[in-house]
C-alpha cells in the first residue's frame, strides 16, 4: 500500500482545459482499438504516411537479385525505412532485434514461382505476437479461379487473429503472372480486402484511374513498386500514387535492385514524407549517389 504520510491532496484538475479528444490520422481506422492504432501509428508515423521496405520476395522466388544477402543489402537500409516487410525466417535469422523497426510480418506461405502461385496457408497466430509484429501481411488472389476462395479465407482468418491480438492486417493484392490489371480490377480487389477486414491494403499503381482505387477503398492503400524500372520512373510512380491519395509504398525491388539502394530509399522517403517532386527526388538520388 502506498505510504499515506504527507499525502498530497489532488488539486491539478485543469478545470479550464478540456481533455483533448484526438482523431486518428489514418483513413478508416478511427474506430479501432488502442493496440491496433498504436501499431498502425508506429508504421505510419505523425504524417499518416509510410515507406515500407519489402524484402519478402525469397518466400516464393528464392534469393532473387538484391536479397541474396539480406544482412548486407537490407539491414543497412533499415534506418531509412518506416517499416520492414519480411518473413519470420528472415526476421529471426538476419534482422537484429535491436533494429527497433516496426515489422509487417509475411503471414502466409505456400507455393513458389515454379508452380501455382498463391496456394498459401496462414502461419500460426502466436507467431506475430512472439516477434512483436506491427502488422501481418497476407496475399489475396482475386480473380484466380483456383486460389481466390482459399486466399480470401486466409485473409479473414488472419483478420480474426489480428482482432484477437490487436495486430493490423495488410491485404496484399496479387496480380499473378499476367501482370495486366486495371483500375476496375484493383477497385474490386482492394475493396474486397477492406470489406473482409484488412486494415491496410497493398495495391499496384495503375496509370488510369488510380485515384478511384484509393477513393473506393475505405482504409489506407500502399503501393508495391513492382518490377525494377529506372530510378526516375520509380520515383515518379511513388509521386503519382501519393498525389492520388496513397498512404505510402511497400517497395522492394526498386529500392534493393537500384544502382544505389541507400540513395534510392532516401529519395523515395523524400517523395513520401517530404512531398518532393520526381525531379527533385531524382536530383536527391543523384546527389546521394556521388
Ligand atoms: C509480393 O507479394 C511481395 O510481397 C513484395 O513484397 C511486393 O511485391 C513488394 O515488392 P516490389 O516492390 O518488389 O514489388
Amino acid at each position: 500500500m502506498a505510504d499515506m504520510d504527507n499525502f498530497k491532496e489532488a488539486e491539478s484538475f485543469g478545470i479550464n482545459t478540456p481533455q483533448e479528444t484526438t482523431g486518428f490520422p489514418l483513413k478508416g481506422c478511427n474506430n479501432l482499438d488502442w493496440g491496433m492504432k498504436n501499431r498502425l501509428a508506429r508504421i505510419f508515423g505523425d504524417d499518416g504516411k509510410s515507406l515500407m521496405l519489402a524484402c519478402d520476395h525469397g518466400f516464393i522466388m528464392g534469393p532473387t537479385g538484391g536479397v541474396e544477402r539480406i544482412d548486407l543489402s537490407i539491414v543497412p537500409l533499415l534506418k531509412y525505412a518506416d517499416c520492414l516487410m519480411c518473413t519470420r525466417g528472415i526476421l529471426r535469422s538476419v534482422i537484429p532485434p535491436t533494429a527497433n523497426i516496426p515489422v509487417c510480418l509475411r503471414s502466409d506461405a505456400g507455393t513458389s514461382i515454379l508452380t501455382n502461385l498463391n496456394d498459401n496457408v496462414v502461419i500460426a497466430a502466436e507467431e506475430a505476437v512472439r516477434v512483436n509484429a506491427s502488422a501481418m501481411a497476407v496475399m489475396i488472389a482475386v480473380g484466380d479461379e483456383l486460389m481466390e476462395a482459399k486466399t480470401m479465407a486466409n485473409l479473414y482468418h488472419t483478420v480474426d487473429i489480428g482482432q484477437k491480438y490487436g495486430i493490423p492486417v495488410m491485404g496484399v493484392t496479387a496480380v499473378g503472372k499476367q501482370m495486366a490489371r486495371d483500375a476496375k480490377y484493383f477497385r474490386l480487389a482492394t475493396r474486397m480486402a477492406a470489406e473482409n477486414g484488412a486494415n491496410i491494403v497493398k495495391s499496384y499503381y495503375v496509370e488510369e484511374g488510380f485515384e478511384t482505387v484509393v477513393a473506393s477503398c475505405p482504409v489506407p492503400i500502399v503501393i508495391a513498386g513492382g518490377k525494377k524500372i529506372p530510378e526516375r520512373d520509380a520515383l515518379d510512380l511513388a509521386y503519382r500514387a501519393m498525389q492520388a491519395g496513397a498512404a505510402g509504398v511497400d517497395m522492394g525491388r526498386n529500392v534493393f535492385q537500384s544502382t544505389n539502394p541507400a540513395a534510392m530509399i532516401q529519395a523515395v522517403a523524400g517523395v513520401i514524407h517530404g512531398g518532393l517532386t520526381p525531379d527533385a527526388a531524382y536530383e536527391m538520388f543523384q546527389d546521394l549517389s556521388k
Side-chain angles (χ1 to χ4, degrees), residues 106-285:
R106 181 91 219 183
S107 298
D108 56 349
T111 45
S112 76
I113 49 170
L114 300 179
T115 58
N116 281 328
L117 277 173
N118 304 317
D119 193 355
N120 292 355
V121 294
V122 176
I123 67 174
E126 295 77 11
E127 278 292 78
V129 178
R130 279 193 200 102
V131 301
N132 196 28
S134 292
M136 298 181 284
V138 293
M139 187 81 86
I140 54 168
V142 174
D144 180 331
E145 284 184 20
L146 285 177
M147 302 306 163
E148 183 181 79
K150 186 173 186 185
T151 56
M152 289 309 295
N154 286 346
L155 174 66
Y156 59 71
H157 176 60
T158 309
V159 169
D160 289 344
I161 297 166
Q163 291 297 328
K164 185 172 177 184
Y165 295 107
I167 303 175
V169 172
M170 180 162 81
V172 177
T173 58
V175 288
K177 291 174 182 166
Q178 62 270 45
M179 284 297 292
R181 302 291 196 188
D182 58 10
K184 187 175 181 183
Y185 171 79
F186 284 112
R187 282 196 298 269
L188 169 67
T190 59
R191 182 63 172 262
M192 280 182 71
E195 297 245 3
N196 282 286
N199 308 105
I200 312 164
V201 180
K202 180 159 118 177
S203 175
Y204 285 81
Y205 179 76
V206 287
E207 295 283 341
E208 295 291 324
F210 184 71
E211 67 283 357
T212 66
V213 178
V214 176
S216 55
C217 180
V219 296
I221 284 189
V222 295
I223 61 152
K227 290 177 185 166
K228 175 74 176 74
I229 51 179
E231 278 78 2
R232 172 69 175 69
D233 295 347
L235 293 165
D236 190 52
L237 179 84
Y239 178 79
R240 280 183 284 129
M242 296 305 289
Q243 292 294 305
V249 298
D250 184 28
M251 192 174 270
R253 289 163 286 181
N254 278 292
V255 170
F256 60 67
Q257 293 180 348
S258 167
T259 53
N260 190 326
M264 186 59 181
I265 194 170
Q266 290 177 80
V268 176
V271 172
I272 304 301
H273 295 297
L276 292 186
T277 62
D279 283 341
Y282 188 58
E283 195 177 322
M284 181 181 180
F285 168 75

